Amino acid sequence: MLGGAAGGGVGAAAVGDVGAAAAAAGGVGAAEQEVLEQQQQEVWEQQEQEVLEQQQQEVWEQQQQQEVLEQQQEKLYATLKDGNPPWEVTEAVLFIMASIAKSVDQENNPTLVEVLEGVVRLPESVHTAVRYTSIELVGEMSEVVDRNPQFLDPVLGYLMKGLCDRRLASAAAKAIHNICSVCRDHMAQHFSGLLEIARALDSFALSPEAAVGLLKAALPGAKQWPLLRPYSALDRLAVIFRHTNPIVENGQVHPCQKVIQEIWPVLSETLNKHSADNRIVERCCRCLRFAVRCVGKGSAALLQPLVTQMVNVYREHQHSCFLYLGSILVDEYGMEEGCRQGLLDMLQWAIAATTLDHRDANCSVMKFLRDLIHTGVANDHEEDFEVRKELINQVMTQLGQQLVNQLLQTCCFCLPPYTLPDVAEVLWEIMQIDRPTFCRWLESSLKGLPKETTGGAIQVTHKQLTDFHKQVTSAEECKQVCWALRDFTRLFR
């Protein structure tokens, strides 16, 4: 008993000692943690200080660089202002100033203002190289012009003189584009002059890039445009519609709507006259695509005649650009009554065109198919949803099996791997219409694939076919269809 009691006492003391030791250990742990946190805090503060000092150093270096450049700029300008150097020196000075113009502070730089004022007063009699470089310099000083709008008139006048000289025209066009892009708020009063430039575009000796840039310069305030001639002018017309984005309030008529209605007869005649020329047809479709995007629902009046003409020309000449334009119409209008039958007629041709081994052409075909089928499930809150759904269901009942067959055959034997994501999107849209029916169509299409090579070797096993069918039909995302398609088509390559 005593031994037990003593033992119990020793045990209690031992427990007490262990508890104290644990407490002491816990105290040391807390102290260590506190020291660690303090050290981390010091490291963070040191890192922040280093970053701050580095940023200050960079700012200081930039300021130093600015000061050096501005001093050099002043010395360069003094060379021109205080003396009468030969044209080679003048051109070299202007070239250097044009090179550093974007690197110096254009906001508070009296030297640049003085340079600009002097440059636009250069007579036409100076050497052509001096005029060319001075025009480039003016284009680089667009921010100076924006902050000193009193120079806008003389600057545009100076650049217009360059535009009329074939040796300087492209440089002047680029400078005008730069000035108009930066000085948008000051360009409204100059729009009529820019429009006259656009009308006379063919009279200037411009590169294609410079001509397009000059057209873009006239766009910010545009409300009307000249009627352009077909072929070479189609690219310019497309640029106008592509880059025109006016603010149109509810109830207002889009300012381009009347223009599109006026040019449609010209584009229509161009399509008929040059229906066999793929380059011209592509340009017409591109122009119409941007016009439809520009005006949106405002181009509805052209919908039926446009689709009718697309169908008529496509019967004779299967230009893939028609299918791409068709996908834009589907995206913009859905299945509006005016274009339903025409777009559905094009669906049959699109199925036949799925074998096109041309990146852009095949992309156009797949986009048309995807967008057209998608109208059967899209925007289910709209009034015409049931009509669209029923129409696409009817079309799929008639052509669905044929479309799935064609897509599977072309994936395995015709198309390169980079087209598979587009094909997968079409298959995915078909599956969204009616998954159980799609399962049957895919099964039937898989049964039609060759199981052996011409030499008798096994090409694809029954298990591989059933695995692919299961992967596609159970997919919850389009990318899963694409992955399955990539793996499966490797068996046939």
Side-chain angles (χ1 to χ4, degrees):
M1 293 287 294
L2 289 173
V10 171
V15 170
D17 292 340
V18 171
V28 172
E32 289 178 348
Q33 181 67 24
E34 187 176 344
V35 170
L36 181 60
E37 290 176 356
Q38 185 176 354
Q39 290 174 341
Q40 288 176 334
Q41 181 66 26
E42 290 173 355
V43 169
W44 291 335
E45 289 175 355
Q46 184 178 356
Q47 289 174 341
E48 287 179 356
Q49 182 65 26
E50 289 175 357
V51 170
L52 181 60
E53 290 175 356
Q54 184 178 356
Q55 290 174 341
Q56 290 174 337
Q57 178 68 20
E58 290 173 354
V59 169
W60 182 81
E61 289 176 356
Q62 289 174 355
Q63 290 174 341
Q64 291 294 106
Q65 185 181 17
Q66 286 274 348
E67 291 177 6
V68 170
L69 288 174
E70 288 175 8
Q71 290 170 4
Q72 291 177 345
Q73 175 187 273
E74 291 174 5
K75 291 178 181 178
L76 288 168
Y77 182 55
T79 305
L80 302 181
K81 187 172 69 169
D82 300 337
N84 187 23
W87 73 263
E88 294 91 345
V89 174
T90 301
E91 193 275 335
V93 168
L94 293 176
F95 178 83
I96 295 171
M97 295 185 76
S99 300
I100 65 175
K102 293 291 187 183
S103 301
V104 299
D105 181 13
Q106 295 194 11
E107 186 171 354
N108 299 303
N109 195 321
T111 302
L112 279 182
V113 175
E114 197 173 345
V115 169
L116 181 63
E117 189 174 10
V119 165
V120 297
R121 290 178 179 173
L122 285 173
E124 293 184 51
S125 58
V126 300
H127 196 281
T128 302
V130 174
R131 291 184 65 197
Y132 186 94
T133 305
S134 68
I135 286 171
E136 289 189 325
L137 174 58
V138 171
E140 294 296 321
M141 296 172 68
S142 52
E143 293 180 16
V144 177
V145 179
D146 188 43
R147 293 184 173 88
N148 298 274
Q150 70 272 18
F151 289 117
L152 193 53
D153 278 336
V155 163
L156 290 176
Y158 181 71
L159 295 177
M160 273 299 300
K161 292 176 184 176
L163 201 59
C164 297
D165 187 327
R166 63 180 298 107
R167 297 167 298 180
L168 309 173
S170 290
K174 182 180 178 182
I176 291 174
H177 180 210
N178 289 347
I179 296 293
C180 292
S181 298
V182 174
C183 306
R184 285 174 177 264
D185 295 341
H186 308 297
M187 295 309 302
Q189 59 183 320
H190 299 279
F191 173 65
S192 59
L194 292 171
L195 183 59
E196 289 305 314
I197 293 175
R199 292 182 192 278
L201 203 60
D202 286 330
S203 65
F204 303 124
L206 297 174
S207 66
E209 295 80 8
V212 168
L214 201 53
L215 273 174
K216 290 179 182 179
L219 293 181
K223 293 184 180 177
Q224 55 177 340
W225 295 270
L227 189 64
L228 300 178
R229 296 192 299 275
Y231 192 49
S232 62
L234 285 170
D235 287 339
R236 301 174 188 173
L237 191 58
V239 165
I240 290 176
F241 288 126
R242 183 177 188 177
H243 294 277
T244 301
N245 188 26
I247 298 174
V248 181
E249 302 292 340
N250 289 335
Q252 285 185 332
V253 177
H254 196 290
C256 294
Q257 185 171 328
K258 183 180 178 182
V259 180
I260 292 174
Q261 290 171 347
E262 289 176 353
I263 67 170
W264 164 245
V266 178
L267 292 175
S268 177
E269 179 60 27
T270 303
L271 281 172
N272 284 332
K273 186 176 181 179
H274 302 281
S275 59
D277 190 323
N278 188 59
R279 292 179 304 166
I280 294 180
V281 172
E282 278 190 354
R283 284 174 166 81
C284 284
C285 287
R286 186 168 178 265
C287 183
L288 287 165
R289 171 161 59 97
F290 289 129
V292 169
R293 288 297 198 201
C294 174
V295 181
K297 299 290 185 181
S299 59
L302 299 180
L303 192 56
Q304 191 164 2
L306 172 58
V307 173
T308 300
Q309 184 160 14
M310 288 166 59
V311 170
N312 290 337
V313 175
Y314 197 90
R315 284 196 181 102
E316 301 296 326
H317 308 283
Q318 286 73 47
H319 300 295
S320 62
C321 55
F322 280 129
L323 295 172
Y324 191 83
L325 180 56
S327 70
I328 299 297
L329 296 177
V330 170
D331 186 49
E332 197 68 42
Y333 292 99
M335 290 291 286
E336 296 218 356
E337 190 172 356
C339 65
R340 284 175 192 165
Q341 192 54 50
L343 293 174
L344 293 176
D345 289 343
M346 292 177 69
L347 176 59
Q348 183 72 55
W349 300 323
I351 294 174
T354 54
T355 57
L356 288 173
D357 185 5
H358 181 280
R359 191 169 201 137
D360 292 338
N362 192 272
C363 180
S364 297
V365 172
M366 297 305 166
K367 178 173 170 51
F368 175 75
L369 290 169
R370 181 194 66 210
D371 290 353
L372 188 65
I373 296 168
H374 185 67
T375 60
V377 294
N379 301 320
D380 55 3
H381 60 281
E382 294 183 355
E383 293 181 1
D384 67 339
F385 172 69
E386 292 299 330
V387 175
R388 287 186 280 112
K389 180 180 177 182
E390 179 60 26
L391 199 58
I392 295 299
N393 279 333
Q394 290 177 6
V395 171
M396 286 293 99
T397 299
Q398 297 173 14
L399 302 175
Q401 181 67 75
Q402 179 187 351
L403 177 56
V404 174
N405 283 346
Q406 189 80 348
L407 290 173
L408 197 60
Q409 290 282 338
T410 55
C411 282
C412 292
F413 305 112
C414 302
L415 298 180
Y418 63 73
T419 64
L420 296 182
D422 295 330
V423 177
E425 289 185 352
V426 179
L427 292 172
W428 173 259
E429 291 298 339
I430 299 172
M431 192 157 52
Q432 303 316 297
I433 298 295
D434 186 345
R435 191 175 289 246
T437 303
F438 173 79
C439 291
R440 294 195 297 274
W441 289 340
L442 183 59
E443 181 181 357
S444 175
S445 298
L446 289 171
K447 288 178 179 178
L449 291 176
K451 309 300 186 296
E452 299 178 353
T453 64
T454 51
I458 300 296
Q459 190 161 27
V460 58
T461 65
H462 178 74
K463 184 178 186 306
Q464 288 170 327
L465 292 172
T466 55
D467 285 349
F468 172 69
H469 185 275
K470 183 178 179 180
Q471 289 167 0
V472 172
T473 56
S474 63
E476 297 181 357
E477 295 179 275
C478 181
K479 63 183 179 182
Q480 293 173 317
V481 176
C482 184
W483 295 337
L485 209 52
R486 285 183 192 276
D487 292 341
F488 184 70
T489 55
R490 287 195 186 103
L491 301 173
F492 297 88
R493 298 187 189 282

